[in-house]
Every structure is written in structure tokens, then in C-alpha cells.
DNA sequence: ATAAGACTAGTCATATTTTGACAAATTTAT
DNA sequence: ATAAATTTGTCAAAATATGACTAGTCTTAT
């Protein structure tokens, strides 16, 4: 696994976009999205819709799996942040995830 | 912090309920909830609505903060489970949460 | 056998949340 | 000052979650 960005997903999109010197309008068009909404996404005021990940990967020629991981870690990171979940509680959450995993294999 | 349950929140409610020998109908009434829906909650087919945590804490005389942590870790654990987030990616997610924390203090 | 209670599953209308689309305001660059 | 780029606000529509009700199964007592 390559190293992932320690930024928000919105900031990451902005980074990609400005690197390629695209305007919001230009990228938004490629993503079939309103430029005003893309602006909100980059500024963390809205979420990027998961269904557009393949398009985004294609536009910037990024590995989709890698990009999806970027997205996933952002989403969970946001959840952790918004709920003020401490490292200690996160450890418990991970154990509960593990419990769910075990449970699901049992019931197959 | 006391140790938290390594079960789902629904299972935890069921545990509390059966310990007190309450029926779904009885507990649902106390929670101002339909018994069929409480059944779904205990079986993990619906989420417990956060707004009822204070009621739940009161009914079983549990510390609300403790119960809220139980709830929070369940929610994040569920998120981790449902997205199939590996420990490695969870570490990245935690770093991203930390990044958001730093960012929020800067902009105050 | 059947009646009653406990629980589960399905459905549907309503409430809540998220998204898309547009207009208008603000910022930035020339 | 103008034009382009970006941001903000608003609102209807789409998607999702919740509450309420119905019907069903299963167990237990009579």
C-alpha cells in the first residue's frame, strides 16, 4: 500500500485539480457535477458522492482502489472526529468491528 | 473508564432487557417505541435512535456517559465493519481525524 | 387443540437527511 | 473596472431512516 494523504478528501481533490490547473467549472463538468457543489466539497461543506469515485480516478489517472482507500479513511476519520472518539474508544470500536466479523462468518 | 461490551448495541440492549426480565413490549413502552421496532433494533436490523439514550440509561440505571460510549463505539465499529476497513487503514483514518482536530483549532 | 403471550418479518406513510440545481455575492487576476 | 473563478445561500427533489401497523411463527399453559 502506498502512503495515503493526511488531508481531507476535499482538500485532496483540490490538490489534484490545481495541480492539473483545472477550474472548478472544468472539473465539475468532467464529474457531471455543479461547480458550486464541487466548491463545497473541496471546502468540506458537503461530501463527495462515492458513486463518482471511478470518474475521479479516471480523470486523474489514479488507481481506483487507492482512491477508494483515500475516501474510506476520510469518511471514518470524519466520523471519529465528529463524534470526538478518543483513541481508547476507537480501540473498542475496532474490537466491536472484529466481533461483527466473527459473527458474520458464524452465520454463513 | 470501565470496560465496554464487545457486542453490538442491539445485543447489549437485549442483555439488559432479559436480565431485568422485561418483554419487548414492556421495554418498548418505556422507551416510547414500537415493540416490533425494538425487536429489529436488538437483532441489528435497525439502529437505536441516539435521542433515546437518556431514557435507556435511566431505565437501566446506567451512567449516561458510559452508555453513550457504548453507543459511539458500536456506531464506529459498524462503520469499520461495513466498509471493511483494515487495521492499517483505520490507523490512517485516525491520523486524518487528528488532522481535522488540528485544523479546527487553527481556525478558531 | 387452542388460546395467549413473546417475538419476528413485511409494508407503508411520514420525517429526516442528502443531493442537485440555480441565483447571487464575493474574491482574484488582469 | 471587468471578467473569470470561487463561494454562499436557498430550495425542490431524491434518497434514507423512522414510526406505526399487520400478519405471521413459535412456545407455553390450559
Amino acid at each position: 500500500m502506498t502512503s495515503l494523504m493526511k488531508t481531507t478528501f476535499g482538500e485532496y481533490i483540490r490538490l489534484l485539480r490545481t495541480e492539473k490547473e483545472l477550474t472548478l467549472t472544468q472539473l465539475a463538468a468532467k464529474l457531471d457535477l455543479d461547480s458550486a457543489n464541487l466548491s463545497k466539497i473541496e471546502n468540506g461543506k458537503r461530501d463527495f458522492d462515492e458513486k463518482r469515485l471511478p470518474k475521479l480516478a479516471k480523470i486523474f489517472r489514479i488507481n481506483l482502489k487507492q482512491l477508494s482507500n483515500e475516501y474510506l479513511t476520510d469518511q471514518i476519520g470524519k466520523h471519529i472526529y465528529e463524534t470526538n472518539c478518543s483513541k481508547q474508544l476507537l480501540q473498542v470500536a475496532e474490537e466491536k468491528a472484529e466481533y461483527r466479523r466473527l459473527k458474520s462468518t458464524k452465520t454463513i
Side-chain angles (χ1 to χ4, degrees), chain A residues 71-107:
Chain A
Y71 183 78
L72 166 58
T73 52
D74 180 70
Q75 288 292 114
I76 295 191
K78 186 181 166 202
H79 197 167
I80 294 168
Y81 169 69
E82 284 175 350
T83 56
N84 236 297
C85 185
S86 67
K87 282 204 177 73
Q88 200 174 11
L89 288 180
L90 186 56
Q91 171 60 28
V92 177
E94 156 62 28
E95 285 163 14
K96 289 187 180 185
E98 180 60 22
Y99 172 74
R100 283 179 189 259
R101 281 178 215 118
L102 288 170
K103 208 165 64 119
S104 78
T105 59
K106 271 182 200 162
T107 46

Side-chain angles (χ1 to χ4, degrees), chain A residues 2-94:
Chain A
T2 17
S3 72
L4 300 178
M5 294 283 149
K6 276 172 207 69
T7 64
T8 65
F9 197 72
E11 288 169 347
Y12 180 50
I13 294 179
R14 172 150 296 182
L15 194 70
L16 293 171
R17 178 173 66 80
T18 52
E19 265 177 6
K20 269 214 169 184
E21 297 188 25
L22 294 171
T23 65
L24 281 170
T25 310
Q26 289 168 333
L27 178 56
K30 287 176 195 286
L31 287 168
D32 187 28
L33 187 64
D34 186 281
S35 68
N37 289 331
L38 180 54
S39 166
K40 285 170 197 162
I41 289 168
E42 289 188 351
N43 290 306
K45 295 176 179 172
R46 277 200 188 198
D47 274 356
F48 184 80
D49 191 337
E50 194 169 3
K51 73 178 179 225
R52 289 197 177 82
L53 285 176
K55 264 185 190 167
L56 190 62
K58 207 168 179 185
I59 293 165
F60 293 108
R61 292 181 180 72
I62 300 171
N63 177 276
L64 177 57
K65 186 66 192 167
Q66 167 82 11
L67 188 65
S68 297
N69 284 341
E70 204 65 72
Y71 183 78
L72 166 58
T73 52
D74 180 70
Q75 288 292 114
I76 295 191
K78 186 181 166 202
H79 197 167
I80 294 168
Y81 169 69
E82 284 175 350
T83 56
N84 236 297
C85 185
S86 67
K87 282 204 177 73
Q88 200 174 11
L89 288 180
L90 186 56
Q91 171 60 28
V92 177
E94 156 62 28

